[in-house]
């Protein structure tokens, strides 16, 4: 029975990987070459002017990209607003994404629409804006194939269980990522995004009661002080010396037991992820290469292509509404 279950699980994963590579082959880096030849420069210049004005923009936009993909696939469903008859995924309590990220996507969409009306999806703009966020903060220059279409649905119920909670252990993280077609190396590489940005104390304060064997004690004391200031809503940087620099210092934080979330620190504990943490801590080049590969995989989760979905006119509502 156990063997049968393992076999069914492995076949499921193989099918998912096959499905993902088929989907990736429907996306193309040249997708808008004829219909919107200046797309990349429009996105890039609009993004840079927004990000330069507000340093919340880059971390929150990258996180929005991850959440779009993990909930119902990379289909722009995270951008849809709730209506009188539907609660959208954007309003899921653990999404909690700053408004600046949504405004960034809407502003880029407006700029793109004025040059190429009706052809570029919001889902592709999310992927391109995420890539800009990484580059803006000093990370690798990424490329992502395009051609995603936008969903016509978004439901708060889909969010539950699809974005990882910050109290998962290593096995739970690995299996959640596997359910998205991502393996343990993708998990380690993509978690490196926590080299930028901030988390609210409520996401990790359960670790501060002295029970957590993984925290460096000095770091824990420092966090207790920071979190007592305004309680659970106070925010703390993932990588305090450089929260706006996309580098590999996140992995050195983990080696020093200074991973902010439990889900960060367990990567340095689990036998399937610990070696990679050490490798990325030692080589930023290796981290950047792995991140670039895993980024493309993440942005191919559950995409809509061909005649599925639509190209929304505005990112926060479907066309028919
Ligand atoms: C491995 C599982 C992951 C968990 C459990 C997790 C959880 C979290 C949590 C709890 C926060 C803080 C939210 C807040 O308090 O406002 C956060 C922030 C962030 N996450 Fe993750 N995350 C994960 C993976 C990822 C991935 C794969 C990416 C992107 C590739 C990502 C990008 C970010 C960014 C950039 C921030 C900072 C956001 C900001 O400062 O506004 N995370 N994450």
């Amino acid at each position: 029975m156990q063997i049968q279950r393992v076999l069914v699980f492995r076949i499921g994963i193989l099918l998912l990987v096959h499905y993902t590579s088929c989907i990736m082959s429907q996306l193309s880096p040249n997708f808008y070459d004829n219909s919107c030849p200046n797309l990349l420069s429009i996105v890039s210049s609009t993004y840079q002017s927004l990000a330069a004005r507000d340093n919340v923009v880059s971390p929150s936009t990258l996180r929005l990209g991850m959440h779009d993909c993990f909930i119902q696939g990379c289909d722009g469903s995270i951008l849809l607003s709730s209506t009188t008859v539907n609660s959208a995924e954007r309003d899921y309590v653990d999404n909690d994404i700053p408004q600046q990220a949504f405004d960034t996507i809407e502003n880029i969409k407006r700029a793109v629409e004025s040059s190429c009306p009706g052809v570029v999806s919001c889902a592709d703009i999310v992927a391109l804006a995420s890539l800009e966020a990484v580059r803006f903060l000093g990370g690798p220059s990424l490329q992502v194939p395009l051609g995603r279409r936008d969903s016509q649905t978004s439901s708060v119920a889909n969010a539950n269980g699809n974005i990882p909670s910050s109290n998962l252990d290593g096995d739970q993280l690995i299996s959640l990522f596997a359910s998205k077609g991502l393996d343990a190396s993708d998990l380690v590489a993509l978690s490196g995004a926590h080299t930028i940005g901030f988390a609210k104390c409520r996401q990790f304060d359960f670790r501060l009661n002295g029970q957590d064997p993984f925290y460096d004690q000095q770091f824990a004391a420092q966090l207790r002080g920071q979190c007592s200031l305004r309680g659970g809503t106070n925010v703390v940087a993932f990588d305090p010396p450089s929260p706006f620099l996309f580098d590999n210092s996140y992995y050195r934080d983990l080696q020093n037991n200074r991973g902010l979330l439990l889900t960060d620190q367990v990567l340095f504990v689990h036998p399937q992820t610990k070696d990679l943490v050490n490798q990325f801590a030692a080589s930023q080049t290796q981290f950047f290469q792995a991140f670039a590969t895993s980024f493309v995989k993440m942005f191919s989760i559950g995409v809509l292509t061909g005649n599925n979905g639509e190209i929304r006119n505005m990112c926060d509502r479907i066309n028919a509404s």
Side-chain angles (χ1 to χ4, degrees):
M1 194 60 186
Q2 184 63 17
I3 294 176
Q4 265 175 333
R5 271 209 208 108
V6 171
L7 270 177
V8 169
F9 179 74
R10 292 220 168 124
I11 291 169
I13 296 291
L14 281 176
L15 287 174
L16 192 64
V17 169
H18 175 71
Y19 172 76
T20 306
S21 58
C22 290
I23 289 294
M24 278 162 82
S25 63
Q26 290 174 36
L27 301 174
S28 154
N30 308 319
F31 191 83
Y32 296 109
D33 277 8
N34 295 324
S35 57
C36 193
N38 296 326
L39 174 64
L40 298 190
S41 63
I42 298 169
V43 173
S44 191
S45 59
T46 314
Y47 182 86
Q48 284 179 36
S49 69
L50 296 165
R53 270 187 256 146
D54 183 349
N55 60 15
V56 169
V57 165
S58 292
S60 61
T61 299
L62 179 56
R63 182 159 179 253
L64 179 141
M66 183 245 173
H67 284 214
D68 188 31
C69 292
F70 270 62
I71 311 169
Q72 197 182 292
C74 317
D75 59 359
S77 52
I78 189 86
L79 305 169
L80 290 173
S81 297
S82 293
T83 64
T84 45
V85 290
N86 180 56
S87 287
E89 59 188 65
R90 165 177 178 160
D91 291 329
Y92 180 62
V93 60
D94 269 347
N95 265 328
D96 204 12
I97 296 171
Q99 183 60 35
Q100 285 98 320
F102 295 97
D103 293 345
T104 299
I105 305 299
E106 285 293 353
N107 278 312
I108 297 175
K109 172 72 170 171
R110 265 198 295 277
V112 169
E113 284 293 304
S114 67
S115 290
C116 325
V119 293
V120 181
S121 68
C122 298
D124 275 343
I125 290 174
V126 169
L128 290 171
S130 301
L131 158 166
E132 288 295 334
V134 172
R135 195 157 58 126
F136 190 79
L137 296 182
S141 285
L142 305 167
Q143 285 187 322
V144 72
L146 301 168
R148 292 164 198 76
R149 289 171 64 86
D150 297 323
S151 73
Q152 291 159 306
T153 59
S154 172
S155 158
V156 77
N158 282 343
N160 198 3
N162 277 308
I163 43 173
S165 308
S166 51
N167 59 357
L168 299 185
D169 66 24
D171 284 339
Q172 290 168 322
L173 275 178
I174 289 170
S175 82
L176 177 61
F177 272 60
S179 74
K180 308 288 171 198
L182 301 171
D183 60 24
S185 355
D186 298 316
L187 165 64
V188 180
L190 290 168
S191 294
H194 287 174
T195 182
I196 58 168
F198 299 81
K200 295 183 192 69
C201 290
R202 69 178 169 80
Q203 297 290 355
F204 57 85
D205 56 10
F206 61 90
R207 301 184 65 198
L208 298 175
N209 59 11
Q211 305 298 312
D212 191 308
F214 304 127
Y215 261 145
D216 169 79
Q217 286 314 304
Q218 207 185 343
F219 183 53
Q222 197 180 306
L223 292 174
R224 260 182 231 111
Q226 286 171 286
C227 287
S228 64
L229 293 177
R230 276 189 287 128
T233 57
N234 206 23
V235 295
V236 173
F238 279 100
D239 180 27
S242 56
F244 299 110
L245 180 64
F246 196 102
D247 62 3
N248 67 337
S249 56
Y250 165 82
Y251 299 101
R252 285 193 292 278
D253 294 337
L254 302 188
Q255 288 176 319
N256 293 321
N257 291 331
R258 288 171 169 247
L260 188 61
L261 306 182
L262 180 66
T263 45
D264 295 316
Q265 196 58 52
V266 294
L267 302 179
F268 190 58
V269 176
H270 198 282
Q272 273 178 266
T273 52
K274 183 171 181 170
D275 287 351
L276 261 189
V277 170
N278 286 327
Q279 286 172 39
F280 294 158
S283 166
Q284 179 154 291
T285 309
Q286 204 186 328
F287 163 48
F288 279 9
Q289 281 166 354
F291 189 86
T293 305
S294 299
F295 185 88
V296 171
K297 277 175 81 177
M298 181 172 85
F299 274 101
S300 67
I301 300 171
V303 298
L304 300 171
T305 55
N307 293 322
N308 295 316
E310 64 180 8
I311 305 296
R312 278 185 223 142
N313 298 324
M314 292 178 74
C315 292
D316 66 347
R317 64 201 70 168
I318 58 173
N319 291 344
S321 63

